[in-house]
Amino acid sequence: MKFIWVLVLMVCYNGVCLNGVTTNVTTRPPFVNIGALLSFNTTIGKVAKVAIQAAVDDVNSDPSVLGGTKLRLHMQDTNQSGFLGIVESLKFMETDTVAIIGPQSSVTAHVISFVANELQVPLLSYSSTDPTLSSLQFPYFIMTSRNDLYQMAAIAEIVEYYGWREVIAIYGDDDYGRNGIAALSDKLAERRCKISFKAPLSPTATRQEITDLLVEVALTESRILVVHTFYSWGPVVFSVAQYLGMMGPGYVWIATNWLSTLLETDSLSSDALDDIQGVLTLRMYTPNSELKRKFISRWSYLTRGTTGYGLNPIGLSTYGLYAYDTVWLLARAINAFLDQGGNISFSSESRLAKLRGGSLHLDAMTIFNGGELLRKNILQVNMTGVTGQLKFNPDGNLINPAYEVINVIGNGIRKIGYWTNYSGLSVVPPETLYSKPPNRSSSSQNLYSVLWPGQTAQKPRGWVFPNNGRHLRIGVPNRVSFRDFVSQVPGTDMFTGYCIDVFTAAISLLPYAVPYKLIPFGDGINNPSGNELVRLITAGVYDAAIGDIAIITNRTRVADFTQPYIESGLVVVAPVKKMNSSAWSFLKPFTRQMWGVTALFFIIVGAVVWILEHRLNDDFRGPPRRQLITILWFSFSTWFFAHRENTISTLGRFVLLIWLFVVLIINSSYTASLTSILTVQQLTSPIKGIDSLISSKDPIGYQQGSFTGDYLVNELGIHKSRLVSLKMPEDFAKALKDGPHKGGVAAVVDERAYVELFLSNQCEFSIVGREFTKNGWGFAFPKDSPFAVDLSTAILTLSENGDLQRIHDKWLMRSACSSQGAKLDVDRLDLRSFWGLYLMCGIACLLALFIYFLKMVRQFSRHSSSELDSAGRSSTSARLQTFLSFVDEKEQEVKRRSKRRQLEMASNRNESMDNYSSKRRHIESPPYGSPQAGNEA
């Protein structure tokens, strides 16, 4: 008994008696006060009010949820006023409220969150989805529905999926609208898209203000419009857009989930539905479950007497489902809080004591002592509600964000797919995707077909040329040289040339009108810099640039280019002189190495054939001098296929067949090359190409204003002091004629298009070496400009129908001078072109010799081993000498000797047998006169 009392005293000391005040921690409070801030006269507020009250009733009717404790709910109407929302929230802080559901507006949530942080009262909002509210700045604000950050990510992926690049954002100019559009801008930037125009509206915008704004929007380029606002003036935007003709073909309207909420909760009039035909909108995804079906079936009973817009029965939206789950989530957290010994107590804020006595009674607000513990328990809840699984990730957002993509058609909506943060766009329900590995590949992104505004199923292009009276400002280089490409007509604003004709022809193929103005770039004295012209596009001075603009890496980093309309790489131009034929021209087709290897193989093949034929063929036998002459004659006569000697052995014929094939190829190549050398005029130059130019120390010329100078210095490492800037084609010719020793240049490096035009009337110069870069000319536009894509398509059309070639022939076709058909230096044939043939022939020779050697060894062991044994010559040198003699001997002699030896051996064997028989008979017969003989007689 004493032991029991000791245990009681210990429990009292450790858990119950605190600072002399006795509190029974096992006793739960009968009630827990919670608050709710709603706008009763809004669609979301009406739905949430019913859902929250239903959830509180369900919690209080189930004693197992809070262990007998009940929730005491206090609702306050903010009447769509941020100011009243703040006032009502402050009232809650005076009534021992442990948590507040709401506020409904993100604008109000920003202000109240500061108060909640100080008084440690958690705010659980199902509708304030501003992305900035989930930051570390507001730890006591808990978002119990989907963060708008994910909604903006879904919109950005839809824009990317359809291949659009720019959108226009129409939004309410408040915290909710601005922060949502800022999140959209970030998500678009991740996909190389952007918001080209922001159209903010006052939260209390009038129809006239909306009309003025949409008129401004209609004059812009993009036709992808994102509307992010509340339902209050959202329908008015579409009504005005319908009036202005902005709901027709070519437009794309994407509304955030305010529109899907409006469609779920209210029955819109036929006129209102007509205004939103073809619009895409998003809806927070909630998986189907038994809990959800039961709650939906109760909704009509719960909303008796509650009407929405137009006095129609109010429908259940996803906000209502999340409001219902928010109460249950809070109840689970409060239960865990009480199970952990949490004490619902409040203390005064010392800083507010100074305000005691004021008419506002701010000193009555108290700090919830258990606020931090309750907040942690809220974030640790893991439950399944009517919206699915409710669990927070480390960032404080609900896991598995997902949206339905909806297309407004007729009197209802059509679901065209889903978006999840897990796998992007899909037509498969999200819960199916979660069981598979995430797949973000472009091929896996999919949506069903859409009926766009204007009742069209064809995907809109997404942009038009802006109809705002402003012309496209196009920079054109005012060239001094090579004016066949582009030049300004003196005294006018007109330009002519090859590049201009290509541009005007491409523009004429576009399906829309493009008002533009060509603006000269350059002083008309020096050739302008192409790099600077492209840079001015990024600076906004020009909207585009046309002309002889080379597409190079540095320029593509700051601008977009069309499809190249002419190919033009860098080449080297140098002086050339005529090369006369000599008495030794017949040796020029092959290099020295080629001649040497060919001659060596003639001898090798002759020797191999001699070895293979020597024992069988009388043509390959005789005195050593004759045999050497036979080898040389046979091998070299195969060049002309004039060899007299016949091959008898199979291996010899095999080697000769391979060699004759090699000779045929070499002979044909030699004949073709020699013909070219003797019939085509040959030119020579000390500069062989860019490599020899780099290795020399001579000056190099380049065209003024071209990128060539920078390329030679930065890419090829040529010192800048070696470069000479040249302006006119005449300067090219003079510098090349003078040469490096008379103040000129050794060669000029320039783009092929310029060089071909220059060489059309300069016969003493030519392109040496090969083109060492590959690029082309195109028209430049700002980054991600859709105009560049359409113009590229037009250029391809010009190329396919032959117009591009006709324009080229008009401006750039010149009669070539007589030396243009000449050949620069001699294209000598080297070993690299024939090493495969020689390798094949060498392998054939080695294989034949190997087989022949095995055959000889076998015959030698069969025919000569007995001779060596009988002669007593068993040493290695003796056997080797005998083997060489055997190989040199004619095969018929070997066979004849072998046959004779076999006959001799048979004869000797017979004689031995006869001698043996006679001796045996002599032994067996008795001597004459012996008794045995007498007896026998």
Side-chain angles (χ1 to χ4, degrees):
M1 191 65 181
K2 292 181 179 179
F3 178 75
I4 295 174
W5 279 108
V6 171
L7 289 177
V8 172
L9 291 173
M10 290 177 64
V11 172
C12 180
Y13 181 80
N14 291 316
V16 181
C17 302
L18 302 173
N19 296 328
V21 179
T22 303
T23 305
N24 187 358
V25 296
T26 60
T27 302
R28 287 176 173 249
F31 295 99
V32 174
N33 291 325
I34 62 172
L37 288 174
L38 310 172
S39 294
F40 292 167
N41 60 341
T42 64
T43 302
I44 295 177
K46 290 178 180 181
V47 173
K49 181 180 179 182
V50 175
I52 291 172
Q53 187 61 60
V56 170
D57 294 341
D58 292 344
V59 170
N60 289 339
S61 63
D62 187 353
S64 64
V65 178
L66 287 172
T69 300
K70 295 184 181 296
L71 298 178
R72 181 181 289 165
L73 175 65
H74 301 278
M75 291 190 184
Q76 297 292 345
D77 184 10
T78 63
N79 199 24
Q80 295 182 270
S81 171
F83 173 73
L84 290 179
I86 297 171
V87 172
E88 297 298 340
S89 65
L90 295 178
K91 289 182 180 180
F92 282 131
M93 307 303 180
E94 301 175 357
T95 57
D96 295 345
T97 300
V98 300
I100 299 175
I101 298 174
Q104 185 176 310
S105 166
S106 296
V107 177
T108 307
H110 273 279
V111 179
I112 298 178
S113 294
F114 288 103
V115 180
N117 287 350
E118 295 295 329
L119 303 181
Q120 300 182 16
V121 177
L123 299 176
L124 292 84
S125 181
Y126 55 89
S127 60
S128 298
T129 53
D130 184 343
T132 61
L133 287 171
S134 62
S135 64
L136 298 176
Q137 183 182 10
F138 305 116
Y140 281 88
F141 180 86
I142 300 168
M143 200 176 296
T144 58
S145 64
R146 301 301 178 188
N147 193 323
D148 269 350
L149 181 69
Y150 300 114
Q151 181 173 208
M152 299 308 169
I155 293 175
E157 290 202 31
I158 292 173
V159 172
E160 182 188 35
Y161 173 76
Y162 287 110
W164 302 316
R165 285 290 173 264
E166 295 183 1
V167 304
I168 296 174
I170 303 174
Y171 60 97
D173 193 13
D174 56 13
D175 291 338
Y176 170 73
R178 286 191 299 270
N179 294 331
I181 295 303
L184 175 61
S185 179
D186 293 340
K187 293 300 180 180
L188 287 171
E190 292 175 3
R191 293 159 179 83
R192 290 196 63 188
C193 304
K194 66 178 182 179
I195 298 176
S196 60
F197 184 75
K198 293 183 179 180
L201 280 169
S202 168
T204 57
T206 63
R207 186 179 182 89
Q208 184 58 46
E209 291 173 340
I210 295 173
T211 302
D212 294 341
L213 183 67
L214 290 186
V215 168
E216 187 177 357
V217 167
L219 298 177
T220 59
E221 181 179 289
S222 177
R223 285 295 181 262
I224 315 300
L225 297 97
V226 178
V227 183
H228 178 57
T229 180
F230 289 112
Y231 77 96
S232 56
W233 50 258
V236 182
V237 170
F238 289 108
S239 176
V240 174
Q242 183 75 270
Y243 174 75
L244 296 176
M246 298 174 66
M247 297 302 297
Y251 280 91
V252 175
W253 290 83
I254 304 175
T256 51
N257 62 346
W258 66 267
L259 181 57
S260 63
T261 302
L262 187 63
L263 293 171
E264 288 176 318
T265 54
D266 288 327
S267 299
L268 299 181
S269 65
S270 59
D271 291 339
L273 284 173
D274 289 342
D275 294 339
I276 58 175
Q277 292 298 301
V279 176
L280 295 183
T281 185
L282 299 176
R283 178 171 61 188
M284 291 182 286
Y285 175 74
T286 56
N288 292 324
S289 63
E290 187 63 27
L291 287 174
K292 181 179 176 181
R293 284 192 290 269
K294 288 181 178 180
F295 185 70
I296 293 175
S297 64
R298 294 172 53 196
W299 185 251
S300 59
Y301 173 78
L302 294 172
T303 55
R304 289 175 301 172
T306 305
T307 57
Y309 180 79
L311 300 180
N312 296 310
I314 193 164
L316 175 61
S317 66
T318 51
Y319 282 119
L321 297 175
Y322 277 105
Y324 181 84
D325 275 351
T326 299
V327 176
W328 276 95
L329 185 147
L330 178 58
R332 301 288 186 190
I334 292 174
N335 183 60
F337 170 82
L338 296 175
D339 286 344
Q340 296 169 11
N343 185 21
I344 299 179
S345 61
F346 298 84
S347 58
S348 300
E349 169 60 64
S350 59
R351 290 172 293 180
L352 294 176
K354 301 177 183 180
L355 303 176
R356 183 176 292 116
S359 58
L360 295 177
H361 301 289
L362 296 178
D363 57 308
M365 293 188 296
T366 55
I367 298 175
F368 177 30
N369 296 326
E372 178 62 21
L373 180 60
L374 179 59
R375 185 185 73 85
K376 291 180 179 179
N377 279 286
I378 292 172
L379 295 176
Q380 292 173 0
V381 169
N382 185 2
M383 59 170 280
T384 300
V386 295
T387 59
Q389 185 182 12
L390 293 176
K391 183 181 179 181
F392 293 95
N393 61 22
D395 295 332
N397 293 312
L398 292 176
I399 63 172
N400 298 333
Y403 286 86
E404 295 173 287
V405 185
I406 294 171
N407 184 203
V408 181
I409 300 176
N411 294 326
I413 59 177
R414 174 174 172 263
K415 190 187 305 178
I416 63 170
Y418 306 89
W419 176 90
T420 64
N421 195 42
Y422 187 74
S423 292
L425 298 171
S426 173
V427 295
V428 180
E431 56 267 22
T432 305
L433 298 173
Y434 296 143
S435 60
K436 302 176 182 178
N439 186 358
R440 284 280 185 169
S441 63
S442 58
S443 59
S444 67
Q445 306 300 296
N446 192 22
L447 290 174
Y448 290 122
S449 60
V450 177
L451 191 64
W452 304 100
Q455 302 296 311
T456 177
Q458 183 179 3
K459 186 197 79 171
R461 185 172 67 240
W463 74 281
V464 295
F465 196 83
N467 186 22
N468 53 9
R470 177 178 170 271
H471 287 68
L472 197 67
R473 297 166 301 174
I474 300 178
V476 184
N478 188 9
R479 292 197 57 86
V480 178
S481 61
F482 298 105
R483 295 171 62 86
D484 296 271
F485 292 105
V486 58
S487 63
Q488 185 176 10
V489 179
T492 69
D493 293 334
M494 299 175 59
F495 288 82
T496 60
Y498 168 71
C499 302
I500 302 301
D501 280 6
V502 172
F503 176 74
T504 54
I507 284 286
S508 65
L509 295 178
L510 297 180
Y512 47 86
V514 181
Y516 63 89
K517 181 179 181 181
L518 301 181
I519 303 174
F521 170 70
D523 55 10
I525 300 175
N526 299 301
N527 287 325
S529 169
N531 291 336
E532 181 63 18
L533 177 58
V534 174
R535 189 194 67 80
L536 292 177
I537 297 176
T538 63
V541 176
Y542 299 123
D543 299 315
I546 65 172
D548 52 341
I549 305 173
I551 305 173
I552 58 176
T553 304
N554 291 338
R555 295 174 183 175
T556 57
R557 293 193 179 105
V558 297
D560 279 350
F561 285 84
T562 61
Q563 170 79 15
Y565 57 88
I566 187 173
E567 299 296 329
S568 181
L570 291 180
V571 294
V572 179
V573 180
V576 294
K577 60 181 181 180
K578 190 187 224 180
M579 185 173 61
N580 297 322
S581 299
S582 67
W584 302 100
S585 296
F586 68 91
L587 295 177
K588 290 182 180 180
F590 288 166
T591 61
R592 291 182 179 180
Q593 185 183 32
M594 182 67 183
W595 277 119
V597 172
T598 303
L600 179 63
F601 261 85
F602 271 108
I603 297 173
I604 291 173
V605 171
V608 170
V609 173
W610 177 84
I611 292 172
L612 298 176
E613 295 289 324
H614 179 66
R615 299 185 74 244
L616 301 173
N617 196 337
D618 291 335
D619 291 338
F620 292 88
R621 299 188 63 81
R625 181 180 178 184
R626 178 187 173 188
Q627 293 184 49
L628 179 60
I629 294 174
T630 299
I631 292 173
L632 296 177
W633 165 256
F634 176 80
S635 60
F636 285 103
S637 63
T638 56
W639 178 273
F640 311 101
F641 302 96
H643 50 284
R644 299 176 303 177
E645 297 78 7
N646 293 323
T647 52
I648 298 175
S649 66
T650 303
L651 293 176
R653 291 176 177 178
F654 168 71
V655 172
L656 183 60
L657 179 65
I658 299 297
W659 175 242
L660 290 178
F661 173 74
V662 174
V663 169
L664 176 64
I665 301 299
I666 295 175
N667 197 7
S668 301
S669 302
Y670 175 85
T671 303
S673 180
L674 182 62
T675 303
S676 175
I677 291 173
L678 298 178
T679 58
V680 179
Q681 182 182 353
Q682 305 295 326
L683 303 176
T684 184
S685 171
I687 303 297
K688 305 302 180 184
I690 188 63
D691 294 331
S692 63
L693 192 61
I694 294 174
S695 60
S696 70
K697 302 297 181 182
D698 296 331
I700 303 172
Y702 71 97
Q703 185 183 170
Q704 180 190 66
S706 170
F707 74 95
T708 308
D710 292 336
Y711 180 85
L712 294 175
V713 173
N714 300 328
E715 300 297 331
L716 301 184
I718 297 176
H719 198 274
K720 194 172 184 179
S721 60
R722 294 180 57 192
L723 302 184
V724 179
S725 176
L726 304 172
K727 182 190 302 184
M728 305 294 292
E730 294 77 9
D731 299 334
F732 284 25
K734 184 178 184 304
L736 289 171
K737 288 178 181 178
D738 292 343
H741 303 297
K742 295 183 180 180
V745 297
V748 171
V749 178
D750 206 352
E751 296 180 72
R752 178 176 285 276
Y754 299 121
V755 169
E756 289 179 347
L757 194 62
F758 169 71
L759 294 178
S760 63
N761 55 10
Q762 298 288 343
C763 299
E764 62 268 38
F765 311 114
S766 180
I767 297 175
V768 295
R770 298 182 178 180
E771 188 175 347
F772 58 93
T773 67
K774 291 289 185 181
N775 53 42
W777 292 355
F779 305 135
F781 292 88
K783 272 290 187 183
D784 300 320
S785 172
F787 192 59
V789 178
D790 286 358
L791 208 59
S792 293
T793 305
I795 291 173
L796 288 174
T797 303
L798 291 175
S799 177
E800 292 170 358
N801 61 23
D803 288 345
L804 194 61
Q805 184 62 41
R806 282 188 284 272
I807 297 173
H808 177 276
D809 296 343
K810 171 186 174 183
W811 289 98
L812 306 180
M813 183 63 69
R814 296 287 187 274
S815 58
C817 60
S818 59
S819 66
Q820 289 298 308
K823 196 173 184 180
L824 184 63
D825 288 339
V826 179
D827 293 332
R828 309 184 73 181
L829 302 174
D830 56 17
L831 186 60
R832 289 178 300 178
S833 303
F834 300 96
W835 71 268
L837 289 173
Y838 287 122
L839 177 63
M840 180 179 64
C841 184
I843 292 175
C845 291
L846 291 176
L847 181 62
L849 289 175
F850 179 73
I851 296 174
Y852 179 76
F853 176 76
L854 293 179
K855 181 180 178 182
M856 289 299 98
V857 171
R858 182 171 175 269
Q859 290 182 359
F860 177 73
S861 61
R862 180 189 303 170
H863 297 294
S864 301
S865 59
S866 59
E867 293 181 4
L868 290 172
D869 293 339
S870 63
R873 303 171 61 187
S874 59
S875 64
T876 303
S877 59
R879 294 181 69 88
L880 178 61
Q881 184 177 0
T882 305
F883 177 74
L884 293 177
S885 299
F886 173 79
V887 171
D888 183 61
E889 193 174 7
K890 193 172 182 180
E891 186 173 355
Q892 292 179 356
E893 294 294 333
V894 174
K895 291 181 179 180
R896 189 180 304 113
R897 187 176 67 253
S898 176
K899 186 175 182 181
R900 184 171 58 250
R901 186 171 62 252
Q902 290 176 358
L903 293 174
E904 292 176 354
M905 290 177 63
S907 175
N908 293 335
R909 190 181 303 110
N910 292 333
E911 291 178 0
S912 299
M913 290 297 294
D914 293 341
N915 293 333
Y916 174 75
S917 299
S918 61
K919 287 180 180 180
R920 184 173 181 181
R921 286 194 303 270
H922 177 75
I923 292 171
E924 291 178 352
S925 61
Y928 182 78
S930 64
Q932 184 178 359
N935 294 335
E936 292 177 354

